[in-house]
């Protein structure tokens, strides 16, 4: 599954883009006077005569600056405007301004007609934006059900199946992938599941600012982006700082359940979780756990198994 993440992303290169948000567009190199627009920066007609001998080069520079300003303005509007009226916001927390390494990169993929219809019709009822402006009342949101947080649900097939199989547990599912958000809403409605809420945005902001202490009964992170290159390991979601955010919002005994088919990432997960004082491995041998029956085989898992990957599950209890 894709990672949001709250998913623990601001320039355009892989090393600078940050599971979690969108890269920040740079501002114009020389802001104009108050109230000016990109159109105001267009070059004025040049005077005729010998004094304009250097005009072609000056005109080219000014025209390029005006085009850059217009491009930046279009990018700014795209970050702020939702793709669908009443649906998930493009950047609900304005998080592209926050200088923090992120574990995910939002992507604008094609949204099908069915996904769009689900977003427009069901988002007001079952969707929420992670704006960092309020603390969620999970008891009200889920009618008193115990709630688990899932970070990164991809297209939502496994999430929808878990919700249908266990209607007594609420699932707060976080992702930034718009097609997946619409697909999960549609699948939940088709199955008659009312115990799913879809959250749009950065899971770190959700954990840090929008969840009350000891309000969650579990955390699920299935097949997050492994960021395989060594220089990108800092972008992996499961890190000590991320677990520091997770621990306070979990009730004692709540389970953190991770799964990955990337062996080096599984080893890092095991090391980081084992070293954290607020979590205890449920596996008697201190290693990996068998896949629990409640976790269905995901599309990502199937792809990994087809390639000969070994899938590792980790289940740690909050102490």
């Amino acid at each position: 599954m894709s990672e949001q993440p709250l998913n623990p992303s601001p320039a355009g290169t892989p090393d600078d883009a940050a599971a979690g948000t969108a890269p920040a567009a740079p501002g114009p190199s020389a802001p104009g006077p108050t109230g000016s627009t990109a159109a105001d920066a267009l070059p004025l007609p040049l005077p005729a005569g010998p004094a304009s001998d250097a005009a072609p080069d000056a005109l080219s520079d000014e025209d390029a600056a005006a085009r850059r300003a217009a491009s930046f303005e279009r990018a700014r509007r795209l970050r702020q405007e939702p793709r669908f009226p009443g649906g998930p916001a493009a950047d609900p927390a304005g998080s592209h301004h926050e200088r923090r390494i992120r574990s995910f990169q939002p992507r604008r993929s094609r949204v099908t007609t069915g996904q769009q219809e689900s977003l427009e019709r069901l988002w007001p009822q079952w969707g929420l934006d992670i704006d960092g402006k309020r603390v969620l009342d999970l008891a009200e949101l889920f009618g008193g059900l115990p709630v688990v947080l899932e970070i990164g649900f991809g297209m939502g097939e496994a999430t929808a199946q878990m919700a249908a199989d266990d209607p007594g547990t609420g699932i707060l599912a976080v992702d930034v992938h718009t097609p997946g958000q619409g697909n999960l809403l549609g699948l939940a409605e088709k199955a008659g599941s009312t115990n799913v809420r879809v959250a749009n945005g950065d899971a770190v902001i959700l954990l840090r600012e929008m969840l009350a202490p000891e309000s969650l009964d579990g955390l699920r992170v299935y097949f997050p982006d492994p960021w395989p290159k060594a220089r990108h390991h800092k972008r992996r979601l499961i890190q000590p700082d991320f677990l520091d955010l997770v621990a306070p919002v979990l009730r004692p005994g709540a389970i953190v359940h991770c799964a990955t088919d990337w062996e080096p990432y599984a080893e890092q997960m095991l090391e980081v979780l084992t070293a954290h004082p607020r979590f205890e491995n449920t596996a008697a041998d201190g290693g990996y756990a068998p896949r629990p029956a409640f976790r269905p085989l995901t599309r990502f898992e199937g792809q990994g198994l087809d390639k000969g990957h070994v899938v590792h599950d980790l289940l740690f209890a909050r102490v």
Side-chain angles (χ1 to χ4, degrees):
M1 295 185 180
S2 64
E3 187 177 281
Q4 72 145 288
L6 299 117
N7 339 103
S9 92
T13 67
D15 281 333
D16 293 331
T21 257
S29 56
T34 302
S36 65
T37 65
D40 297 328
L42 292 175
L44 297 174
L46 295 168
S52 63
D53 290 343
D57 288 341
L59 178 62
S60 175
D61 291 344
E62 292 180 10
D63 185 57
R67 288 171 182 248
R68 285 196 301 270
S71 175
F72 297 153
E73 176 62 19
R74 284 194 298 271
R76 183 191 65 79
R77 288 199 305 268
L78 283 174
R79 290 198 305 270
Q80 294 179 348
E81 295 173 0
R83 297 182 70 178
F84 309 107
D91 189 9
S95 51
H96 54 283
H97 294 302
E98 186 180 358
R99 305 295 297 185
R100 172 171 55 80
I101 294 173
R102 290 175 173 79
S103 61
F104 63 94
Q105 292 179 331
R107 57 197 188 280
R108 283 211 163 191
S109 304
R110 176 179 173 271
V111 176
T112 67
T113 301
Q115 292 162 0
Q116 177 177 345
E117 191 274 338
S118 294
L119 284 167
E120 292 176 345
R121 188 168 49 83
L122 298 173
W123 186 263
Q125 179 183 2
W126 289 346
L128 63 97
D129 283 317
I130 300 173
D131 55 16
K133 297 179 181 178
R134 66 197 189 281
V135 175
L136 298 177
D137 186 341
L138 297 184
E140 179 181 355
L141 198 60
F142 287 92
L145 295 177
V147 178
V148 298
L149 174 66
E150 181 178 2
I151 301 177
F153 54 80
M155 293 306 293
E157 297 98 333
T159 306
Q161 183 175 336
M162 289 187 290
D165 292 344
D166 184 11
T169 297
I171 301 177
L172 179 57
V174 181
D175 211 306
V176 293
H177 188 46
T178 310
Q181 293 168 346
N183 201 57
L184 175 54
L185 289 171
L187 290 172
E189 182 186 44
K190 183 177 180 180
S193 301
T194 60
N195 56 328
V196 178
R197 300 294 180 269
V198 179
N200 168 56
D202 190 338
V204 167
I205 294 175
L206 176 70
L207 288 165
R208 190 179 64 201
E209 302 174 20
M210 297 181 65
L211 293 175
E214 299 187 1
S215 58
L216 293 176
D217 287 84
L219 170 67
R220 297 169 180 171
V221 184
Y222 299 153
F223 303 96
D225 193 329
W227 293 101
K229 295 181 180 179
R231 69 177 184 270
H232 294 157
H233 287 181
K234 60 190 176 184
R235 303 190 183 282
R236 289 175 171 174
L237 181 63
I238 307 302
Q239 307 272 6
D241 289 349
F242 173 74
L243 296 179
D244 289 342
L245 288 176
V246 169
V249 300
L250 291 176
R251 293 191 174 97
I255 298 296
V256 172
H257 182 192
C258 302
T260 182
D261 64 341
W262 195 261
E263 185 77 26
Y265 196 8
E267 293 170 356
Q268 178 185 326
M269 289 178 174
L270 183 60
E271 178 182 352
V272 170
L273 282 161
T274 300
H276 200 284
R278 303 292 296 276
F279 297 99
E280 184 177 80
N281 198 337
T282 63
D285 62 358
Y288 304 112
R291 178 176 67 88
F294 67 80
R295 183 177 74 75
L297 291 174
T298 68
R299 181 167 57 90
F300 277 77
E301 185 171 4
Q303 292 172 355
L305 292 173
D306 290 343
K307 297 175 183 177
H309 296 180
V310 177
V311 175
H312 292 293
D313 284 76
L314 302 94
L315 285 89
F316 278 72
R318 195 275 216 189
V319 295

